[in-house]
Amino acid sequence: MKHTALDMGNVLNEIEHPDLSRVLADLHGEGPLLRPKREKEGLFDEKKRKGWDKTVEARCDFTNKPRLTHRAGLYFISLWQKSVYGRTLTDIKGDDGMVDFFAENVGRLITEILGPDLKNGGWCIITTPKRRHLVKNFATRIAESIAARLHLPFYEDVCSCRTKQRMNAVFTVNVVPKEKNVICFDDFVTTGNTLKSMLNALSPYNKNLLFVSGINNKL
């Protein structure tokens, strides 16, 4: 059997040589592997707010789930619960037809809770301060409609907000309802801090406060 010599020149020409430039740069402290890491942000540095991702916005499917919740140091009753599927909160607030929908269903819940006592007088409805909508916001329109359905006095702009933050916000009392028993309505409750600020503002006036929400915006 005849053996032929292997031409190693052709084999060597086909071998690809690795690019060692990154490795050499790293050895000299110039590459990404050995480049000094950026110093960690200070604990008290101002954090940049991330953009609002509407794809993960809270939703509600409006399945009736009456619930008594203790949050932010107080109890409130809600009719609906935040859900994975359903309409987004932005969509809900942008639909004028939802005002009557909220008023009818939340009004029925209030009637079931208070029973005959509701007709004995001494009750009124208020809502939380307007923040972005200075005329009539979603919660104000619903509370006004509930009042009309239940034949209760409605007091608009009972409180106004002196601070922009929602945590530990300070409310100023503009109108003190004459009724002893006050239903404080809010369309959505997440942290409960807004209701807590209402409680703090009205506590000196010795009122019985019943906090009612349309949607409990926290699982």
Side-chain angles (χ1 to χ4, degrees):
M1 187 176 194
K2 187 177 180 180
H3 297 279
T4 57
L6 180 65
D7 187 355
M8 294 300 295
N10 292 332
V11 176
L12 293 175
N13 288 334
E14 294 177 357
I15 296 177
E16 295 184 2
H17 299 282
D19 183 6
L20 300 179
S21 59
R22 284 189 60 189
V23 178
L24 293 175
D26 288 329
L27 291 176
H28 288 86
E30 300 173 355
L33 296 179
L34 295 181
R35 187 176 296 143
K37 294 183 178 180
R38 185 176 65 180
E39 294 183 2
K40 294 182 178 179
E41 295 181 356
L43 293 177
F44 300 101
D45 289 349
E46 184 177 354
K47 308 295 183 182
K48 292 184 178 180
R49 297 183 63 182
K50 295 183 179 179
W52 182 22
D53 185 1
K54 292 187 178 181
T55 61
V56 294
E57 186 183 354
R59 296 174 178 270
C60 182
D61 59 10
F62 292 105
T63 300
N64 284 4
K65 295 180 180 178
R67 179 177 175 183
L68 178 64
T69 301
H70 185 263
R71 192 176 298 155
L74 56 82
Y75 286 94
F76 68 91
I77 299 169
S78 57
L79 177 56
W80 301 296
Q81 182 74 24
K82 173 184 176 181
S83 58
V84 177
Y85 302 102
R87 301 182 66 176
T88 66
L89 302 192
T90 300
D91 183 36
I92 294 167
K93 285 193 172 186
D95 184 352
D96 287 339
M98 294 302 293
V99 172
D100 286 338
F101 177 79
F102 267 68
E104 179 182 353
N105 287 277
V106 174
R108 185 183 301 115
L109 176 66
I110 292 173
T111 302
E112 292 174 355
I113 292 171
L114 297 179
D117 191 55
L118 186 62
K119 297 180 180 181
N120 293 336
W123 287 94
C124 68
I125 288 185
I126 66 173
T127 189
T128 54
K130 303 181 182 76
R131 291 180 184 268
R132 288 175 295 180
H133 307 280
L134 300 180
V135 184
K136 284 188 183 295
N137 62 2
F138 191 60
T140 299
R141 294 168 64 196
I142 294 170
E144 191 173 42
S145 182
I146 292 174
R149 292 169 185 272
L150 303 185
H151 306 289
L152 299 176
F154 168 64
Y155 293 90
E156 188 174 357
D157 295 328
V158 166
C159 291
S160 58
C161 187
R162 296 189 303 181
T163 54
K164 292 184 178 180
Q165 70 269 19
R166 293 184 179 274
M167 291 289 292
N168 301 318
V170 178
F171 291 173
T172 300
V173 177
N174 303 315
V175 180
V176 179
K178 65 180 182 180
E179 288 76 17
K180 178 71 173 179
N181 305 307
V182 179
I183 300 168
C184 181
F185 171 78
D186 203 357
D187 46 7
F188 312 110
V189 173
T190 303
T191 64
N193 287 310
T194 299
L195 299 185
K196 179 65 174 179
S197 295
M198 290 292 291
L199 177 62
N200 292 339
L202 294 171
S203 288
Y205 300 96
N206 196 29
K207 302 293 182 181
N208 295 322
L209 292 169
L210 173 63
F211 293 102
V212 179
S213 168
I215 298 175
N216 188 334
N217 192 28
K218 192 173 182 181
L219 296 175

